[in-house]
């Protein structure tokens, strides 16, 4: 006889505004649970972890009503129920528990949105502890630092750290028992966490191994620390690009987005920006994604006369879509004329704007061939570029993005 499938519900407490870690976005204050962390909002890390596990039949998000639309956009709505945040954490959890919709729910997990590093290992460990008979379970870490009391900034007395644990969330419980424990609290009661409520009700709660991934985001500097912990390892890859265009009758050339008066123009299907063409091909090369002609075929009339910023931005967007970061780009323009030096700063600025880089991440140089070859005879301009890009360790193939 097959055992009864597990049915669990998750409550994500996202009711606070996180004033200590808040960012002023000019038009509105962004609470920490909606701020970006390693490519996605803080709250979405936890949402995704619960949503991927089929044992969780319901996800209840406790938040302020005016944030619901933004949160709903982060996840598929089929599992999600909303509850209105209360004035305290205990009140918010009560609101979440009131939304438990599945009578057959075996277990209830209560999690803080400000702890984004929820992993499948932690979910499995908590569920295993509950299945083994524990009333409740929570991830916890050993205390490694010395502990001291202070008064007005002066250290006064130490605290032994034997048997002390840093307890994290999610805190998981047998559903019927934690519902009864909260029902037994006074209406104005406030507790530090859900374990405190469970212990008052006589429930036994066990600890499983916690993780620094589950540390709480409290201060602005915590974002950088958690970004280093949660971001996938990035490894450098380098590729080069080359392009050349001949001169035809005209009065200006476009190089790296800058129009330069000249006695001729460069011929090409697009605006013939030889510098940006070489750079786009270098970026595509890092991604093993072909070249400009592959993504923007000259046979398509819509690309005739197109600004090369379209090509370069597309290459940069593919890097971001692949989870990568452009670290540095370098370019050498090869020509006898026009002179590049007076326009170099403008070229760097234009390239930085298209790729979303700092100017110090961009190098643009120029050289001649000492009157040798087609560039020496002033028949055209050539460009050589390289791109250094950091890509996830498990990167396999570049992700296509809309053109």
């Amino acid at each position: 006889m097959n055992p009864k499938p597990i049915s669990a519900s998750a409550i994500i407490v996202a009711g606070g505004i996180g004033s200590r870690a808040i960012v002023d976005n000019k038009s509105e204050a962004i609470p920490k649970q909606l701020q970006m962390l390693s490519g996605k909002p803080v709250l979405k890390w936890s949402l995704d972890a619960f949503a991927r596990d089929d044992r969780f039949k319901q996800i209840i998000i406790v938040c302020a009503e005016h944030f619901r639309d933004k949160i709903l956009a982060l996840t598929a709505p089929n599992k999600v129920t909303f509850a209105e945040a209360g004035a305290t954490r205990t009140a918010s959890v009560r609101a979440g528990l009131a939304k438990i919709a599945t009578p057959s729910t075996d277990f209830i997990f209560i999690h803080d949105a400000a702890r984004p590093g929820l992993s499948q290992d932690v979910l499995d460990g908590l569920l295993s502890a509950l299945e083994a008979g524990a009333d409740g379970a929570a991830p916890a870490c050993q205390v490694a630092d010395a502990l001291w009391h202070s008064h007005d900034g002066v250290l006064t007395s130490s605290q032994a750290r034997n048997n002390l644990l840093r307890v994290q969330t999610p805190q998981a419980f047998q559903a019927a028992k934690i519902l009864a424990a909260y029902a037994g609290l006074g209406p104005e009661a406030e507790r530090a966490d859900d374990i405190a409520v469970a212990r008052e009700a006589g429930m036994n709660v066990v600890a499983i191994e916690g993780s620094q991934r589950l540390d709480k985001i409290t201060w602005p500097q915590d974002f950088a620390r958690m970004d280093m912990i949660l971001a996938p390892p990035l490894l450098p890859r380098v590729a080069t690009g080359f392009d050349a265009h001949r001169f035809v009758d005209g009065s200006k050339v476009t190089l790296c987005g800058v129009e330069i008066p000249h006695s001729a123009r460069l011929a090409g299907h697009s605006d013939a920006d030889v510098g940006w063409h070489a750079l786009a091909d270098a970026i595509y090369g890092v991604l093993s994604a072909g070249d400009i002609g592959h993504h923007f075929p000259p046979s398509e009339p819509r690309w005739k006369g197109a600004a090369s910023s379209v090509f370069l931005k597309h290459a940069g967007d593919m890097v971001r879509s692949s989870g990568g970061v452009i670290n540095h780009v370098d370019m050498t323009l090869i020509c006898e004329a026009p002179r590049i030096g007076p326009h170099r700063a403008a070229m760097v600025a234009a390239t930085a704007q298209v790729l979303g880089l700092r100017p110090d991440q961009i190098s643009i140089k120029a050289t001649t061939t000492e009157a040798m070859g087609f560039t020496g005879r002033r028949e055209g301009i050539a460009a050589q570029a390289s791109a250094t890009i950091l890509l996830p360790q498990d990167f396999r193939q570049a992700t296509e993005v809309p053109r």
Side-chain angles (χ1 to χ4, degrees), residues 216-248:
K216 189 176 182 181
I217 294 175
T218 302
W219 311 103
Q221 60 268 29
D222 291 339
F223 282 91
R225 178 174 57 84
M226 290 305 300
D227 189 70
M228 292 178 63
I229 293 172
L230 297 181
L234 298 179
L235 299 178
R237 289 177 62 156
V238 180
T240 62
F242 178 85
D243 194 34
H245 286 270
R246 60 186 176 87
F247 282 132
V248 294

Side-chain angles (χ1 to χ4, degrees), residues 56 107-110 123 126-127 130 134-139 168-175 178 194-195 198 203-206:
F56 288 89
F107 309 128
I108 295 174
F109 282 51
I110 305 172
L123 292 179
L126 292 170
L127 286 166
L130 295 176
D135 294 336
Q168 302 167 315
T169 72
Q171 296 176 3
F173 305 94
Q174 302 286 344
I178 195 64
D194 310 296
I195 293 175
M203 296 169 61
N204 71 299
V205 182
V206 300

Side-chain angles (χ1 to χ4, degrees), residues 170-208:
Q171 296 176 3
F173 305 94
Q174 302 286 344
K177 292 187 176 183
I178 195 64
L179 286 168
Y182 265 92
L185 280 183
E188 303 300 322
E190 170 65 11
R191 299 293 182 266
D193 64 2
D194 310 296
I195 293 175
V197 178
R199 292 296 299 142
E200 281 188 31
M203 296 169 61
N204 71 299
V205 182
V206 300
I208 70 163

Side-chain angles (χ1 to χ4, degrees), residues 1 43 75-76 106 128 141 153-154 214 272 314 349 374 382-383 392:
M1 183 176 178
L43 175 59
T75 188
D106 301 304
S128 294
C141 298
V154 177
L214 278 173
H314 179 263
F374 77 91

Side-chain angles (χ1 to χ4, degrees), residues 301-312:
R302 61 177 168 151
W303 305 126
K304 183 173 178 58
S308 294
S309 58
V310 174
F311 313 148
L312 187 60

Side-chain angles (χ1 to χ4, degrees), residues 57-379:
K57 310 303 182 185
Q58 184 184 24
I59 301 171
I60 299 165
I61 302 172
V62 186
C63 65
E65 185 174 2
H66 58 279
F67 288 129
R68 289 187 184 183
D69 288 344
K70 291 182 178 180
I71 292 173
L72 194 58
L74 303 179
T75 188
N78 57 318
K79 281 188 178 184
V80 173
T81 303
F82 286 98
E84 181 67 19
T88 65
R89 185 186 185 281
T90 301
S92 291
V93 173
R94 285 184 192 268
L97 291 171
K99 294 288 184 175
I100 297 292
T102 307
S104 60
T105 294
D106 301 304
F107 309 128
I108 295 174
F109 282 51
I110 305 172
H111 184 52
D112 293 329
R115 297 182 186 271
L118 181 56
S119 68
Q120 190 63 51
D121 287 345
V122 168
L123 292 179
D124 290 342
L126 292 170
L127 286 166
S128 294
L130 295 176
E131 287 185 284
D135 294 336
C141 298
Q142 297 284 339
V143 176
D145 299 317
L147 299 176
W148 281 79
H149 297 280
S150 69
H151 180 72
D152 293 335
V154 177
L155 299 177
T156 57
S157 60
S158 63
Q159 168 70 51
R161 60 176 182 257
N162 297 342
N163 300 320
L164 286 181
L165 296 175
R166 292 192 301 111
V167 179
Q168 302 167 315
T169 72
Q171 296 176 3
F173 305 94
Q174 302 286 344
K177 292 187 176 183
I178 195 64
L179 286 168
Y182 265 92
L185 280 183
E188 303 300 322
E190 170 65 11
R191 299 293 182 266
D193 64 2
D194 310 296
I195 293 175
V197 178
R199 292 296 299 142
E200 281 188 31
M203 296 169 61
N204 71 299
V205 182
V206 300
I208 70 163
E209 185 175 353
S211 167
Q212 64 175 337
R213 290 173 55 92
L214 278 173
D215 285 351
K216 189 176 182 181
I217 294 175
T218 302
W219 311 103
Q221 60 268 29
D222 291 339
F223 282 91
R225 178 174 57 84
M226 290 305 300
D227 189 70
M228 292 178 63
I229 293 172
L230 297 181
L234 298 179
L235 299 178
R237 289 177 62 156
V238 180
T240 62
F242 178 85
D243 194 34
H245 286 270
R246 60 186 176 87
F247 282 132
V248 294
D249 289 341
S251 59
K252 63 182 180 182
V253 296
T254 300
L255 294 174
C256 299
V258 178
E259 291 187 351
I260 302 173
H262 190 52
S263 57
R265 66 176 176 88
L266 293 172
H269 185 69
S270 64
D271 63 2
D273 190 329
V274 63
W276 277 359
H277 289 186
L279 182 53
D281 276 353
I283 295 172
Y284 288 134
V286 170
L287 300 172
S288 301
D291 55 20
I292 290 177
H294 170 75
H295 299 280
F296 302 90
S299 58
E300 292 189 20
R302 61 177 168 151
W303 305 126
K304 183 173 178 58
S308 294
S309 58
V310 174
F311 313 148
L312 187 60
K313 182 179 184 302
H314 179 263
D317 287 345
M318 286 191 70
V319 172
R320 284 181 282 276
S321 178
S322 299
V325 176
I326 300 175
N327 187 51
H328 187 263
V329 298
D330 178 74
M331 182 193 311
T332 301
L333 297 166
I334 307 166
C335 59
E336 299 290 331
R339 290 186 61 211
I340 301 302
H343 308 284
R344 182 181 289 110
M347 292 178 180
V348 168
T351 304
Q353 182 176 14
V354 172
L355 291 177
L357 301 178
R358 303 186 310 272
D360 64 293
Q361 294 176 286
I362 299 165
S363 169
I364 296 178
K365 312 181 299 295
T367 190
T368 71
T369 56
E370 299 293 335
M372 297 180 290
F374 77 91
T375 58
R377 294 189 296 272
R378 302 185 181 222
E379 296 173 0

